[in-house]
Amino acid sequence: VALVGGGPGDPELITVQGKRLLAHADVVVADRLAPRELLEDLPAHVEVVDAAKIPYGRAATQEFINQTLIDRAKEGKFVVRLKGGDPYVFGRGFEELLACAEAGIPVTVVPGVTSAFGVPALAGVPVTHRGVAHEVVVVSGHVAPDDPRSLVDWSAIARLKGTVVLMMAVERAGAFAAALMEGRPGSTPVAVIQEGSTASQRVFRSTLDSLAADMEKWEVRPPAIIVVGPVAGIASANS
Ligand SMILES: C[S@@+](CC[C@H](N)C(=O)[O-])C[C@H]1O[C@@H](n2cnc3c(N)ncnc32)[C@H](O)[C@@H]1O
């Protein structure tokens, strides 16, 4: 099994190694956010298991994916698990590696361009910039700031001066903005990038105190990256 990071969506943003392994696959198990255009180039004999089309919800889906990787590999097939971005950035890639390892199946990991950094770059937002931001933190918005399951120290994140990249945060953008405003001014610049690197990419600029209302107005839908911090306020010719 090869766990391949496919990058944020543009089929040209997969690595050379990822593309080479994909060309040798007997089976491709593709994520919803993987670069879908790459699937169109696969030879007809390649079995494509499309995770976007697997029913029964998230947990059952992960179990099904793990089992599919194991079953096909045990049949002697070379399986490429094509994931969006980087396999280990909120991608559950390590869970898949552990499941394969437990079943005695060797796994090759091919890192990918994570949307956390690649998507802002394509929208003209550098996640660090000399003299502006000397730190960048990537935070999952999968659970709300006040959720007891949260593993994020929001009071520490709110005190940062640099860049905070929020992923999976569209639904609760207002709650995250409020948590960040406990430590940062409401005027802190924010950039929101929806479907980065694809033909449907949309880029918006806001501030922490207007973020929730602006995102509602713009009807931002996942997948989107929210970049908070002074880097989001730097204008350049291509942003
Ligand atoms: C489950 S995480 C997977 C992240 C992936 N492993 C990576 O490294 O990019 C999904 C989140 O990634 C972000 N994302 C992925 N692809 C994106 C894209 N093309 N444009 C904007 N955000 C994207 C969104 O925040 C989305 O909710």
Side-chain angles (χ1 to χ4, degrees):
V1 170
L3 273 183
V4 176
D10 179 338
E12 297 211 327
L13 291 176
I14 190 170
T15 63
V16 174
Q17 188 181 20
K19 196 151 187 197
R20 183 168 57 76
L21 294 182
L22 197 60
H24 288 102
D26 300 307
V27 182
V28 176
V29 182
D31 251 3
R32 194 171 48 85
L33 290 178
R36 319 281 307 174
E37 279 172 68
L38 291 172
L39 303 178
E40 292 163 16
D41 299 337
L42 295 171
H45 67 83
V46 177
E47 181 193 1
V48 176
V49 180
D50 190 344
K53 293 185 182 153
I54 299 169
Y56 310 127
R58 203 175 158 83
T61 298
Q62 190 61 52
E63 210 168 273
F64 176 88
I65 289 169
N66 293 354
Q67 203 53 51
T68 304
L69 300 178
I70 292 164
D71 290 348
R72 297 296 191 279
K74 282 193 169 164
E75 288 167 15
K77 293 182 171 153
F78 178 50
V79 186
V80 167
R81 172 70 173 117
L82 184 63
K83 302 183 77 76
D86 181 272
Y88 287 173
V89 179
F90 304 131
R92 306 188 71 167
F94 205 65
E95 291 174 48
E96 294 171 7
L97 176 134
L98 290 175
C100 289
E102 206 167 292
I105 292 157
V107 176
T108 303
V109 179
V110 183
V113 175
T114 179
S115 62
F117 295 160
V119 162
L122 291 165
V125 179
V127 291
T128 69
H129 188 52
R130 195 160 64 94
V132 177
H134 293 182
E135 64 196 350
V136 53
V137 178
V138 181
V139 182
S140 165
H142 188 54
V143 296
D146 58 353
D147 190 312
R149 293 171 301 162
S150 176
L151 297 176
V152 179
D153 182 345
W154 281 99
S155 60
I157 300 286
R159 287 198 304 276
L160 295 177
K161 290 183 176 168
T163 309
V164 178
V165 177
L166 296 170
M167 302 173 79
M168 297 175 277
V170 170
E171 280 88 359
R172 301 187 187 87
F176 298 125
L180 292 173
M181 281 189 288
E182 295 288 322
R184 304 184 79 142
S187 58
T188 303
V190 179
V192 179
I193 309 114
Q194 178 181 321
E195 292 178 71
S197 89
T198 73
S200 322
Q201 172 174 298
R202 300 164 77 208
V203 183
F204 305 101
R205 306 275 181 159
S206 182
T207 50
L208 272 181
D209 53 6
S210 313
L211 184 65
D214 282 347
M215 283 180 64
E216 209 177 311
K217 184 177 72 194
W218 300 323
E219 298 184 341
V220 175
R221 300 281 174 263
I225 292 283
I226 301 173
V227 184
V228 179
V231 290
I234 309 174
S236 80
N238 72 343
S239 57

